[in-house]
Amino acid sequence: MGMGLHDSQVSNPVLRWIDQRLPVITMIQKEYGVFPTPRNFNYFWNFGALAMINLMIMIATGIFLAMNYTPHTAYAFDSVERIMRDVHFGWLIRYVHMNGASMFFVVVYVHIWRGLYYGSYKAPRELLWMLGVVIFLLMMATAFMGYVLPWGQMSFWGATVITNLFSAIPVVGPTIVTYLWGGFSVDNPTLNRFFSLHYLLPFVIVGVVFLHVAALHITGSNNPLGIEPKGPQDTLPFHPYYTIKDSVGIVVYLAVFAALVFFAPNYLGHADNYIPANPLVTPAHIVPEWYFLPFYAILRAVPDKLGGVVLMGGAIIVLFFLPWLDTSKVRSMRFRPITRIIFLLWTVNFFVLTWVGGKPAEQPYVLISQICTMFYFVYFLVVLPMMGRFEVVMKLPESISRAVLGAKASLGGGPIPGTAAAKPMEKA
Amino acid sequence: MADSVASHTTTGSTPGVTKRDFLQLTTTAFAAVGVGAIAWPFIGSLAPSKDVLALASTEVDISPIAVGQSVTVMWRGKPVFVRHRTAEEIAAARAVPLSELKDPAPDQSRIRRDPWLVVVGVCTHLGCVPLGQKSTDAKGDYNGWFCPCHGSHYDTSARIRKGPAPTNLEVPDYSFMSDRSIRIG
C-alpha cells in the first residue's frame, strides 16, 4: 500500500487497481452495500428509489425526444406529431415521457407525504428535507416548461397564464414578464428558452438529488417509528435487504406505469393540447396538469391577484420552515394521536384541493377552495406549532429491534448483520 | 443454523453448485433480456423514420439532357449524377481491360440502358462530391470525375482509376419509367 493509494478491499485485481486510485467501488459498497439501514422500513420507503428511477427514465426518454423535436413555433407541433407517427417507437418514447411526468409527481407526492407523516423533516434532517423541497420546485418548473413544448392550445395558454403570475409583483412585475417571454407575448423566443431550460433543469435536479442523498447518508434514514437506531441490532445492511424491497416496489411501479402508457396514455392529458397553439383563441376550460391542481386551487381561492400568487408560492415556501414550525420532539405520527388525525384530514384536504382546482372558478367551488386553502395553512402555521406544546404523545418504544421483534429482541434471537449467522445469506 | 442453510442451498447432484448460483444466473438472464427490451425502442428510434423513408425515391426527366451533358439530382439527400454519355466516352469506358481496374467491373454492368450513366455522386473515399459535372470542371486523368478532396480520379464509367478511393462510384437502384424519365430508389 502506501504511495497515497486507497486501502482497497476489492479482490479482483483490475477493479482493485481502479479502486486504489478512485475508491468508487469502496464508496458504493459503503453507501449502498453495507450501509446500515433501519430494519423496520415499510413500503413508503420505496419512493425515494422510485423517484430516482423515474428521473432516469425522464432523462433517457427526453434525450431521445430532443433528437426529433424542433423548438420553433412553426414546427414544434408538427415535430411532435412526426414523433408520434413517423419516428420508430416515437409514440412509445413520448408516451413514456408524458406519463412519466405524472408518475414522477405521484411518486414524489407519496415521498413527501411519507416525510410529513413520519416526521422525516425534523432534526437532524432539516437540510435533507429542504433540499427535497428545492427538488420539488425544480420539478414543477421543469414539468411546466416541458408541457409548453408540444405547442398545443394548452401549452400556449398554460404558458400565458403561468408567466402572467409574475405580473402580479408590484412595480417590476410587467417587466419581469416581458423578460420571461423575450417579447410581448408567449412566442418563439419563449418556446426557445423554455426548451433550453427544460433540457438543463433535469441535470440541475440530478445535482440536487446527489446532495439530497449525500445528506441522507450523513444522518441516516428515518423510519416508521421515528426513533434513531441505537446499534447494529436496529439496522440491516442496505444490500440485499432493501435493494430487494426496492425491487419489489419497482416492479409494481413499472406495472402501473406500463398500464398507463399502453392502455390510457392520454387519460391524464387534455384533448385541447392536440390542437395547435392559437394566440387568438383561448380554450373554454383551461386547467393545468393534474399535479398542479392543488396549488392552482389555492391561487384561485383568493379574489386578489397578488394575494393569490403569494398564497400559492407560500403553500410551497412554508415547507422550507416546516422543521421549525413543528415543535414536537416526536417524529412519527404513530405516537401523536391528535396530530395524526388532523394530518390525515389535511391529506384529504389536499385531495379536495386537487379536485376543486380542476373545477370552473364558480360557486360552490370557490368557497370550497377557500376553506381548503385555510385548512392547508392552518395545519402548518397553527396546528403543528401548538401541538408540540399541548399534545399528550404516546410512549415511544425503547428501540427499533424491541418494537419489531418484541420479547425476542431481549433474547438476542434476531439475525444481526455482520455476524456469522448472517454470513451464508450474504454469499454471492 | 449454519447446517440448515447449507442443506438448503446445496443441490444433491452437482457438488459446489448451489440454488443461489441458479437464482443468480436466471436473474442475470432476465435482467439482460429486460435491458435489451428497453434498449430496443430507443435504438429503433434512431433508424430513418417513416417520413424520411417516404422521400426515398426521386423521378428525373432525362429528355432535356443533351449528348455530353450531365445533371445532378438530389436523392436521399445525396447528389446523383445522370450523364448522357457520348459515343467516345462509352467506347473509352469499354476499351479498358478489367485487369487495369482497382474495382473491376465492365461498363455494361454499371448501366441499365445506353447511353445513360447514373451514379451516386459521392466519392467512395471520404464522401466528398467529385468534380466533372460542369463542362468547366476538372474531370481528372480519365475524363470522368475528379475528387478535389484527396485526388481520386474516376473514368467515364465512374470507376476508380487513381487515388485513395477504394471502390467505383455507387450505382443506385433505378429504373427507366419510359425513354424520357427514370426513377431513382
Side-chain angles (χ1 to χ4, degrees):
Chain A
M1 203 38 53
M3 294 192 300
L5 289 177
H6 172 72
D7 183 14
S8 176
Q9 304 300 314
V10 179
S11 54
N12 179 304
V14 175
L15 294 179
R16 186 172 62 242
W17 186 90
I18 295 170
D19 200 48
Q20 284 169 338
R21 285 151 182 84
L22 184 67
V24 282
I25 298 166
T26 299
M27 194 266 273
I28 290 169
Q29 180 63 13
K30 176 167 173 276
E31 304 297 343
Y32 289 99
V34 297
F35 189 70
T37 314
R39 65 187 304 156
N40 59 333
F41 278 2
N42 57 31
Y43 276 102
F44 279 115
W45 265 263
N46 272 351
F47 284 81
L50 293 180
M52 184 79 98
I53 299 275
N54 205 319
L55 178 60
M56 281 154 49
I57 291 173
M58 294 307 278
I59 289 177
T61 50
I63 286 171
F64 278 77
L65 286 177
M67 292 179 191
N68 286 298
Y69 171 76
T70 311
H72 188 287
T73 52
Y75 306 106
F77 187 90
D78 289 350
S79 75
V80 172
E81 282 309 300
R82 185 181 156 267
I83 289 168
M84 295 300 291
R85 294 156 196 237
D86 288 345
V87 176
H88 302 293
F89 296 106
W91 60 272
L92 178 61
I93 295 172
R94 175 164 178 260
Y95 277 158
V96 168
H97 197 74
M98 225 171 95
N99 290 287
S102 284
M103 290 300 292
F104 208 174
F105 277 94
V106 170
V107 164
V108 163
Y109 277 135
V110 175
H111 189 60
I112 294 172
W113 187 91
R114 195 281 319 270
L116 291 171
Y117 187 85
Y118 295 108
S120 301
Y121 48 84
K122 292 188 192 184
R125 299 184 182 83
E126 307 94 320
L127 191 59
L128 170 61
W129 168 262
M130 291 163 84
L131 287 166
V133 180
V134 171
I135 294 169
F136 182 49
L137 281 171
L138 286 168
M139 270 180 66
M140 292 174 96
T142 309
F144 159 67
M145 287 190 278
Y147 194 58
V148 175
L149 302 184
W151 209 243
Q153 274 289 68
M154 280 296 176
S155 299
F156 182 88
W157 292 101
T160 301
V161 170
I162 301 299
T163 50
N164 266 312
L165 293 178
F166 292 88
S167 70
I169 299 168
V171 188
V172 292
T175 314
I176 289 175
V177 174
T178 306
Y179 274 72
L180 285 174
W181 287 340
F184 303 98
S185 65
V186 173
D187 207 336
N188 197 50
T190 325
L191 180 61
N192 268 282
R193 62 190 60 184
F194 278 20
F195 180 56
S196 170
L197 293 173
H198 182 72
Y199 208 117
L200 169 71
L201 288 185
F203 295 96
V204 177
I205 292 176
V206 169
V208 185
V209 165
F210 180 83
L211 298 178
H212 189 68
V213 173
L216 172 72
H217 282 228
I218 295 297
T219 61
S221 295
N222 186 30
N223 63 79
L225 294 172
I227 57 175
E228 293 294 322
K230 291 187 171 70
Q233 72 280 5
D234 289 343
T235 62
L236 292 170
F238 188 81
H239 180 75
Y241 295 98
Y242 288 117
T243 43
I244 284 298
K245 188 156 183 150
D246 282 345
S247 300
V248 174
I250 287 166
V251 169
V252 174
Y253 153 85
L254 288 176
V256 173
F257 197 160
L260 201 53
V261 165
F262 292 109
F263 297 110
N266 289 300
Y267 177 71
L268 294 168
H270 301 291
D272 273 6
N273 218 30
Y274 285 99
I275 302 167
N278 182 351
L280 301 179
V281 181
T282 306
H285 185 47
I286 175 159
V287 282
E289 289 286 85
W290 71 266
Y291 38 80
F292 291 138
L293 289 175
F295 303 101
Y296 192 62
I298 292 174
L299 171 76
R300 294 193 310 182
V302 189
D304 172 73
K305 187 172 173 179
L306 179 61
V309 173
V310 167
L311 271 199
M312 184 177 71
I316 294 169
I317 299 304
V318 72
L319 297 176
F320 280 111
F321 297 96
L322 185 56
W324 297 276
L325 287 170
D326 186 349
T327 52
S328 174
K329 295 284 175 247
V330 176
R331 292 200 191 106
S332 176
M333 290 291 178
R334 283 190 186 176
F335 306 106
R336 304 180 64 186
I338 301 168
T339 315
R340 179 171 177 271
I341 302 295
I342 302 175
F343 176 68
L344 292 176
L345 286 173
W346 181 91
T347 310
V348 173
N349 184 68
F350 194 77
F351 281 108
V352 176
L353 277 172
T354 307
W355 166 75
V356 82
K359 293 289 171 192
E362 59 194 40
Q363 296 300 358
Y365 306 118
V366 174
L367 182 64
I368 295 171
S369 68
Q370 285 166 343
I371 295 167
C372 291
T373 300
M374 179 81 85
F375 186 49
Y376 181 96
F377 283 102
V378 164
Y379 176 75
F380 290 118
L381 300 176
V382 181
V383 174
L384 286 181
M386 301 294 275
M387 280 300 169
R389 252 160 262 170
F390 301 114
E391 186 177 28
V392 179
V393 295
M394 291 153 75
K395 188 174 175 297
L396 292 177
E398 199 178 297
S399 71
I400 292 172
S401 53
R402 188 75 177 186
V404 172
L405 303 169
K408 274 194 290 175
S410 58
L411 299 172
I416 294 163
T419 64
K423 273 277 153 57
M425 294 190 69
E426 287 173 274
K427 181 196 175 289
Chain B
M1 174 145 187
D3 288 343
S4 69
V5 171
S7 65
H8 273 276
T9 52
T10 307
T11 54
S13 51
T14 323
V17 176
T18 63
K19 191 156 121 190
R20 184 154 293 250
D21 292 334
F22 170 77
L23 286 172
Q24 201 162 32
L25 281 170
T26 48
T27 307
T28 309
F30 250 83
V33 171
V35 167
I38 290 166
W40 188 280
F42 284 102
I43 294 166
S45 77
L46 298 174
S49 59
K50 288 177 197 165
D51 61 321
V52 172
L53 294 175
L55 296 174
S57 66
T58 302
E59 280 179 31
V60 188
D61 179 6
I62 55 173
S63 57
I65 308 172
V67 176
Q69 212 181 21
S70 283
V71 297
T72 305
V73 295
M74 192 83 143
W75 173 65
R76 290 186 176 176
K78 292 184 286 196
V80 170
F81 297 159
V82 181
R83 179 175 277 196
H84 191 161
R85 297 191 294 181
T86 62
E88 301 82 69
E89 285 171 341
I90 296 171
R94 289 180 187 170
V96 187
L98 289 184
S99 56
E100 263 185 42
L101 299 172
K102 189 175 182 181
D103 178 16
D107 183 60
Q108 286 87 343
S109 75
R110 296 178 50 77
I111 60 164
R112 296 270 191 284
R113 196 184 285 189
D114 272 327
W116 301 99
L117 178 71
V118 180
V119 290
V120 176
V122 175
C123 181
T124 57
H125 180 221
L126 291 173
C128 298
V129 178
L131 298 172
Q133 287 294 87
K134 291 185 205 142
S135 57
T136 52
D137 278 353
K139 286 186 159 61
D141 296 353
Y142 299 87
N143 198 33
W145 288 268
F146 170 68
C147 184
C149 291
H150 305 92
S152 290
H153 299 255
Y154 295 92
D155 68 11
T156 54
S157 191
R159 293 172 299 200
I160 180 65
R161 299 298 291 275
K162 194 171 126 188
T167 58
N168 304 330
L169 291 187
E170 186 200 340
V171 178
D173 186 20
Y174 70 100
S175 57
F176 280 84
M177 314 273 291
S178 68
D179 286 347
R180 303 169 57 86
S181 76
I182 59 171
R183 184 169 66 197
I184 306 167

